[in-house]
Amino acid sequence: MSPSAPRAAFPACALFDLDGTLLDSAPDMLATVNRMLAARGRAPRALADIRPVVSRGARAMASVAFPELDAEGIAALVPEFLAVYAEELGRHGAPFEGIEPMLAALEAAGTRWGIVTNKPEYLAARLLPQLGWQDRCAVLVGGDTLAERKPHPLPLLHAAEAIGVAPGDCVYVGDDARDIAAARAAGMPSVVALWGYRLEEDDPIAWQGDVMHDAPDALAVPRGWPAP
């Protein structure tokens, strides 16, 4: 879907979700889940089982792996999940195809970009050097950086302030309903990343983002971004 009023230049600031938007981290998550299952003598899960819920966090992935557990049992697995995931971090996943050329196009145009994720900040920060993004990403906000996390607008507002750009001059790109809700509440235009992780019953149209795209390369040109 193209913007109703194509823009002639990239936005001043582009903010991105991480898992499912910039990074295809599902393989790392699968390795984590399967290590936990193997430790209990249980059969591994397939990537197709885990992939749809990656953007929903450790609890959602643990729930897929251990469907017999109640909410309390799943919560008890989260520390183990994070510890194992820290060892698998960046070993299997990679940026989605088209992400690097898109980021390069933004940088060439003078657009500053950053990451606002619900992943714990220490894990997201460890990924940046592995991806070669540590000197390119202008701001990183994790799920535990502030008192609130997405869908609350505070992380996006904080990121815009850190970069020195008004929220309305930023665009937020994400693959989950929480991403688009956070952008709306922050007064930022938004892009729905349809290449990311979704459940079959999800309806991205209902999220009411400003633009939807099937692939990152649509954002490698100014007209792919929502008009201010």
Side-chain angles (χ1 to χ4, degrees):
M1 181 183 301
S2 299
S4 56
R7 55 189 305 153
F10 288 109
C13 167
L15 299 174
F16 298 92
D17 175 48
L18 183 57
D19 300 307
T21 301
L22 291 178
L23 187 64
D24 186 4
S25 53
D28 289 350
M29 306 296 189
L30 179 66
T32 299
V33 163
N34 283 343
R35 278 183 55 181
M36 294 173 67
L37 288 167
R40 293 162 173 82
R42 299 175 63 167
R45 302 304 295 256
L47 185 59
D49 298 329
I50 297 297
R51 187 179 178 84
V53 299
V54 167
S55 288
R56 307 197 177 192
R59 284 175 174 80
M61 287 177 279
S63 294
V64 171
F66 302 95
E68 75 281 3
L69 296 181
D70 60 14
E72 184 177 353
I74 293 299
L77 288 177
V78 170
E80 179 184 354
F81 181 96
L82 293 176
V84 176
Y85 175 59
E87 297 177 0
E88 299 294 339
L89 189 74
R91 294 181 59 193
H92 314 278
F96 285 100
E97 183 177 357
I99 288 295
E100 284 293 353
M102 181 267 292
L103 293 178
L106 291 175
E107 292 165 352
T111 294
R112 302 187 71 191
W113 64 271
I115 295 170
V116 181
T117 174
N118 277 356
K119 182 191 290 293
E121 182 181 349
Y122 78 97
L123 291 173
R126 283 179 54 184
L127 275 168
L128 295 188
Q130 296 182 43
L131 298 165
W133 292 350
Q134 69 274 20
D135 296 322
R136 299 167 63 188
C137 177
V139 63
L140 170 64
V141 181
D144 55 357
T145 303
L146 305 167
E148 302 286 353
R149 55 191 285 168
K150 299 176 297 181
H152 197 281
L154 181 62
L156 275 66
L157 295 171
H158 176 82
E161 182 179 10
I163 290 179
V165 177
D169 292 329
C170 295
V171 177
Y172 189 60
V173 185
D175 69 309
D176 190 84
R178 293 171 301 180
D179 299 325
I180 307 308
R184 185 181 306 110
M188 288 185 190
S190 62
V191 176
V192 177
L194 294 174
W195 61 85
Y197 308 134
R198 295 192 311 280
L199 297 171
E200 283 188 17
E201 59 266 28
D202 285 343
D203 180 9
I205 295 175
W207 304 349
Q208 298 182 339
D210 294 285
V211 176
M212 296 193 301
H213 287 305
D214 292 317
D217 57 8
L219 297 176
V221 292
R223 66 177 179 272
W225 294 81

